Every structure is written in C-alpha cells, then in structure tokens.
C-alpha cells in the first residue's frame, strides 16, 4: 500500500525500496508486486534490472516465455536486447 502511494506521488526511490527490497523478499511469487516493481524500475529507466526481475519471476513461477511482454513494453524489451547484443560483441 505504501509503495503504491509512493509510486503515485512519484517518490520512486521509496517505492522501489518498499516493493523490491521488502515485499518481493517476503513474497517472491506475488504477481502484482512483481509487475509493480518492474514498472517502477522502468519508470526509473533501469531497463536491465526490470528485464532481469521479470525474467527471474517468470522462471520461478514457470510461466511461458512469451509472458515477458506483460511486464515490459516492446520498446524497452527491444532496447535491453539490443544493449545485450552490443555488449556481447
């Protein structure tokens, strides 16, 4: 609840801490918390962390591979994939 209030008031540092480091540690399978955390990371332009968080959640819950698009918008996914390809060169 506090993380949602912080997100709506654009206090993203606190929202990231409350969601990522507090809620997800206690409830790693909580779907809404994981989506909210990925959304906060995207708003803070931490695309790699958002991608890693979404991927980790999908692996833990054994969701289908295509479900990653529910967490991240296509431009952010494309950006992360492009950056990873550039880093592997």
């Amino acid at each position: 609840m506090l993380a949602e209030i912080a997100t709506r008031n654009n206090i993203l540092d606190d929202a990231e801490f409350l969601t990522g480091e507090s809620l997800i540690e206690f409830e790693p399978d909580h779907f809404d918390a994981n989506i909210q955390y990925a959304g906060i990371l995207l708003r803070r332009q931490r695309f790699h962390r958002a991608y890693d968080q979404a991927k980790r959640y999908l692996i833990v819950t054994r969701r289908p591979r295509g479900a990653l698009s529910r967490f991240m918008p296509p431009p952010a996914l494309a950006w992360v994939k492009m950056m990873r390809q550039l880093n592997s060169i």
Side-chain angles (χ1 to χ4, degrees), residues 28-31 34-35 38 50-72 77:
D29 295 340
H30 194 276
F31 182 73
N34 279 282
I35 286 182
Y51 179 83
D52 292 340
Q53 173 62 31
K55 196 171 180 182
R56 183 175 29 247
Y57 173 72
L58 295 174
I59 289 170
V60 168
T61 58
R62 300 178 187 196
R63 300 217 182 230
R65 187 178 183 112
L68 190 59
S69 62
R70 292 186 66 189
F71 281 88
M72 297 182 70
L77 277 173

